[in-house]
Amino acid sequence: MSIAPAPLKLEIILGSVREGRIGPVVSNWYAGQARLHGGFDVDVIDLMDFAIPNDFSSHPDTTEFSRRIEAADAIVVVTPEYNHMPPGYLKTVIDASPKSAWSGTPVALVSYGGMSGGLRAIEPLRVVFPEIGAMSIRETVSFHGVRDQFTADGEPVDPDGVNAAVVIQLNTLEWWGLALRDARALRPYGQKVIA
Ligand SMILES: Cc1cc2nc3c(=O)[nH]c(=O)nc-3n(C[C@H](O)[C@H](O)[C@H](O)COP(=O)(O)O)c2cc1C
C-alpha cells in the first residue's frame, strides 16, 4: 500500500495591481479549482499587497515575497496582457527575488486579456523562468474577452471547457511539483551529483 504524499504548497500569484482590475475574479476562481483538485495546499499572493519599489534590493516586501516563493512547491502565475506583455510590476517582483527562491520549482501560467486571451503575455514569461531555474509547464489556461467570461458570482460563463483545462494543468503541475519536491529534498538544486 502506498502512502499519499503531503499536499504541495501552491502559491497563486495575481499579476495585476491596477484599480478596477478583473484579476481577482480569475485568481479566486482558479484558487477554488485548485482546492477542489485536492493535491494542493493553496494560497494566493496578491501583488497589490506588496509595494516593492524599482530599487527592490533591501525592501521588506521583497524579503516577504521571496520567503513565500521559497516555501512554495508549485506556483501559478495569473497574468493579464498589457501591450503584448505581462505587467511590468510582475517582472519587477520576479527580478527582486533571488533565483534560489524559484530554482527547482514548477510554474503554471494562466492568462487573460482581449482578443488573444493574454497568450502574448505568457510567452515572454517562458523566457524568464528558465533563467531563474524555474520549470514552466506546457499546459496553459486562458480567457479571451475576459470581462465577458465570468458571471457576477465569479464563475466562468462556460465552465465545462475551462474547468477541464484547469484539471489537466493542475495534474501536470502536481506531477512536476511532487517530482521536484523529492529532488530538492535529495540534493540541493544545481549541485554536482556524480564525482
Ligand atoms: C495598458 C493596457 C494595455 C492592454 N493591452 C492589451 C493587449 O495588448 N492585448 C490584449 O488582449 N488586451 C490588452 N489590454 C486589455 C486587458 O487585457 C484587459 O483590460 C484586462 O482586463 C486587464 O487585466 P486587469 O483588469 O486585471 O488589469 C490592455 C489593458 C491595459 C490597461
Side-chain angles (χ1 to χ4, degrees):
M1 194 179 74
S2 64
I3 300 169
L8 295 161
K9 175 81 187 144
L10 172 65
E11 288 285 8
I12 299 172
I13 301 174
L14 169 53
S16 84
V17 295
R18 70 184 179 122
E19 178 103 30
R21 64 197 174 146
I22 196 167
V25 173
V26 183
S27 59
N28 288 341
W29 159 78
Y30 194 99
Q33 294 299 305
R35 290 186 182 105
L36 284 176
H37 180 276
F40 301 94
D41 174 10
V42 182
D43 219 338
V44 176
I45 295 177
D46 184 347
L47 292 187
M48 196 86 116
D49 297 334
F50 292 80
I52 296 174
N54 286 330
D55 178 5
F56 43 70
S57 314
S58 56
H59 194 274
D61 283 5
T62 301
T63 308
E64 175 58 10
F65 177 78
S66 305
R67 187 193 66 73
R68 296 271 299 267
I69 297 300
E70 175 83 50
D73 299 310
I75 292 167
V76 172
V77 175
V78 177
T79 182
E81 178 175 314
Y82 294 160
N83 299 325
H84 292 202
M85 295 289 267
Y89 186 59
L90 175 59
K91 177 65 163 47
T92 295
V93 303
I94 293 170
D95 295 343
S97 44
K99 289 183 185 190
S100 57
W102 299 85
S103 295
T105 307
V107 179
L109 298 162
V110 176
S111 70
Y112 59 91
M115 293 285 284
S116 71
L119 295 173
R120 290 171 297 210
I122 281 184
E123 294 310 318
L125 291 171
R126 288 200 192 280
V127 178
V128 172
F129 284 119
E131 183 56 24
I132 54 178
M135 164 70 207
S136 87
I137 70 165
R138 173 185 174 273
E139 288 76 9
T140 57
V141 173
S142 67
F143 292 93
H144 64 88
V146 63
R147 288 192 181 265
D148 299 325
Q149 296 286 352
F150 285 89
T151 67
D153 296 333
E155 292 300 320
V157 170
D158 184 12
D160 290 351
V162 78
N163 287 352
V166 173
V167 170
I168 293 167
Q169 185 181 54
L170 286 171
N171 287 348
T172 306
L173 188 65
E174 182 185 41
W175 191 93
W176 278 107
L178 291 171
L180 293 180
R181 184 172 67 184
D182 287 350
R184 290 194 309 276
L186 208 54
R187 59 183 74 89
Y189 177 85
Q191 181 182 280
K192 187 173 193 311
V193 177
I194 299 171

